[in-house]
Amino acid sequence: INERFGVEYGDYVLRVLADCMKKVAAPAQMIYRVVGDEFMLMDTSGGMIEEAEKVYYKICREIENAIKRDNYKSVYTISGGIITNNDIKGKTYNEMTKISQFALSQAKAKGKNQVYCFKEEDYDRFLRKREILRLMRQAVARNFEGFELYFQPIMDAEHEYLMAAETLLRFHVSETEMLSPAEFIPILEDSGLIIPVGKWILKNALLMCLECQKSLPEFKISVNLSYIQISKSQILEEIIRDVDELKLKPDSMIVELTESGYLENTVIMQTLWEKLKAYGICIALDDFGTGYSNLQNIGDLTPNIVKLDRSFTLKALKNEYENRLMAYVIQMVHSIGLKICVEGVETKDELKKKKKMKPDYIQGFYYGR
């Protein structure tokens, strides 16, 4: 608003918001401007959360009316965070400020033009994420202390020999507690720490590949890439440099990109894929069966390997329709000259059923957790 119409009009909008709040406030409800475009309404009469929500929606309606009166010169909304006396009981001023800011941030995170009532369990999760981030920053600074790589076998389906292994990242917060990747990977990505950690993963995964090739010359190592690494780091140069330094054949490495997250047909993605393939790196499309544009992604990225997600495998084991669908998918992938890997095989019976579909590779707890 300031950029389009100037600071004076921005101040006018703030006055409109203040007037709208004053218009709906009851006698026992005090209004304050905290900072910038943030205001606080404090109810000293001991009102309930439901009443606070009603006040928020009344303010929203008043703002809509004000925008209409201004002939829609600018359209804006408000987000509201609600905290109760019980939430701040025994808290210092600094702690109260943090809680109120958290409530407001949660409302914005819901998509803006929303109201959020503070919940202790949400705040505890927020604090846990912040603590995990602190520990991971510390680990990176201490030469990645606490991070560890696990390697899950990828087996040749027909002859059941070890073809490759997928690199899996683990993080220990103590000697006894190891965090789930589902919890710490998003924190790594949101914070950007996935970039230094990704470099560490790449180097150590390739070192493991070199070690395994002493016994299995054709062994390959598979590494997952985050979209953050692709968009915000020189990942192509890093892969080529590390492979060359270790004197590995380029096709010793498989690069996996998950389909369920952020696959986009962008120039960055296309360029990376083309250069990786030109260099000789194998490309795998991970989590096939969980996204909404699977066939398009196969066409756009033309991977060497398509990996069927565990959820797809489970459905096929329980439902004849899904089982036939999976068989047709495998046939279709083979018909365009690509290899297919079935993930999530956990028992001998599952292995027997999946092998009938003639996949190229099989991965899962049956061969190694």
Side-chain angles (χ1 to χ4, degrees):
I1 288 173
N2 284 345
E3 286 171 3
R4 284 186 66 193
F5 303 109
V7 175
E8 284 187 10
Y9 185 78
D11 291 343
Y12 162 75
V13 170
L14 294 179
R15 287 196 297 275
V16 168
L17 173 55
D19 289 341
C20 290
M21 293 180 75
K22 282 160 67 178
K23 194 170 182 179
V24 304
Q29 292 171 345
M30 313 297 288
I31 302 167
Y32 304 89
R33 183 180 176 203
V34 182
V35 64
D37 61 352
E38 294 180 7
F39 291 75
M40 179 173 71
L41 186 147
M42 184 170 69
D43 190 334
T44 58
S45 65
M48 307 296 286
I49 287 174
E50 292 76 13
E51 292 170 36
E53 287 179 332
K54 285 177 184 175
V55 170
Y56 166 79
Y57 289 117
K58 283 180 183 176
I59 298 169
C60 288
R61 284 194 293 273
E62 289 297 329
I63 286 174
E64 286 171 11
N65 292 334
I67 291 169
K68 189 176 179 180
R69 285 194 301 272
D70 209 16
N71 294 314
Y72 298 96
K73 182 175 179 179
S74 64
V75 178
Y76 44 89
T77 59
I78 60 166
S79 303
I82 297 173
I83 58 174
T84 69
N85 289 345
N86 287 334
D87 296 327
I88 58 174
K89 206 170 185 179
K91 299 279 196 300
T92 65
Y93 173 77
N94 193 34
E95 289 168 335
M96 285 191 279
T97 303
K98 287 179 181 178
I99 286 172
S100 65
Q101 283 292 340
F102 170 77
L104 182 58
S105 297
Q106 290 296 103
K108 290 179 179 179
K110 285 171 69 177
K112 299 189 178 181
N113 200 26
Q114 301 279 334
V115 65
Y116 166 83
C117 299
F118 177 83
K119 294 183 181 67
E120 193 72 44
E121 58 267 30
D122 290 345
Y123 192 56
D124 288 342
R125 278 195 291 272
F126 164 75
L127 293 177
R128 177 174 169 82
K129 281 177 69 175
R130 199 169 65 177
E131 176 60 13
I132 291 169
L133 177 57
R134 185 189 70 80
L135 291 171
M136 290 197 296
R137 284 193 194 283
Q138 194 176 75
V140 169
R142 294 177 178 173
N143 199 27
F144 304 94
E145 179 185 291
F147 287 104
E148 186 179 9
L149 295 183
Y150 279 42
F151 300 92
Q152 188 176 54
I154 301 173
M155 307 295 289
D156 178 274
E158 186 179 356
H159 303 104
E160 286 195 62
Y161 68 80
L162 182 63
M163 187 279 293
E166 180 178 354
T167 309
L168 305 171
L169 182 65
R170 297 292 180 263
F171 181 62
H172 301 264
V173 290
S174 67
E175 287 185 11
T176 56
E177 186 184 1
M178 186 162 70
L179 295 185
S180 161
E183 184 174 23
F184 74 81
I185 294 288
I187 299 172
L188 279 178
E189 292 185 326
D190 290 344
S191 65
L193 281 178
I194 193 67
I195 292 174
V197 172
K199 290 179 183 178
W200 178 84
I201 293 169
L202 178 63
K203 174 66 81 173
N204 285 280
L206 292 174
L207 284 168
M208 170 60 89
C209 183
L210 192 66
E211 187 65 28
C212 290
Q213 285 187 353
K214 292 175 183 176
S215 304
L216 297 166
E218 298 305 312
F219 180 82
K220 303 177 191 297
I221 200 74
S222 183
V223 178
N224 289 275
L225 289 191
S226 159
Y227 187 68
I228 304 298
Q229 289 172 276
I230 294 169
S231 60
K232 297 186 178 180
S233 74
Q234 303 299 314
I235 189 65
L236 176 68
E237 289 79 0
E238 289 162 15
I239 290 172
I240 292 173
R241 183 188 63 237
D242 287 353
V243 169
D244 286 349
E245 277 182 7
L246 294 173
K247 295 182 170 55
L248 284 163
K249 291 185 294 183
D251 67 358
S252 298
M253 183 178 177
I254 302 168
V255 166
E256 293 191 29
L257 187 74
T258 181
E259 178 171 67
S260 57
Y262 24 60
L263 261 180
E264 294 177 17
N265 185 18
T266 62
V267 174
I268 294 173
M269 191 71 74
Q270 286 289 350
T271 303
L272 175 68
W273 249 227
E274 287 166 10
K275 289 184 176 178
L276 283 174
K277 284 190 286 187
Y279 178 64
I281 300 286
C282 294
I283 306 295
L285 181 60
D286 197 13
D287 289 350
F288 185 87
T290 60
Y292 65 88
S293 57
N294 304 295
L295 298 178
Q296 181 184 331
N297 287 331
I298 288 178
D300 290 341
L301 299 174
T302 55
N304 304 95
I305 302 167
V306 174
K307 299 185 79 176
L308 289 184
D309 184 68
R310 164 72 179 162
S311 61
F312 204 165
T313 307
L314 275 178
K315 287 178 187 175
L317 290 166
K318 296 174 182 176
N319 182 295
E320 180 55 30
Y321 174 82
E322 297 284 352
N323 193 59
R324 287 168 61 193
L325 180 62
M326 186 172 180
Y328 288 137
V329 167
I330 292 173
Q331 289 173 28
M332 182 272 293
V333 170
H334 280 157
S335 73
I336 54 176
L338 308 183
K339 304 284 188 183
I340 197 148
C341 175
V342 174
E343 295 183 293
V345 175
E346 298 187 356
T347 66
K348 194 164 188 174
D349 184 53
E350 288 179 13
L351 177 65
K352 188 178 175 183
K353 288 177 181 175
K354 294 304 120 196
K355 284 182 77 170
K356 285 180 182 177
M357 296 183 184
K358 300 195 178 332
D360 301 281
Y361 312 118
I362 288 177
Q363 182 178 349
F365 286 178
Y366 178 73
Y367 290 112
R369 296 182 76 86

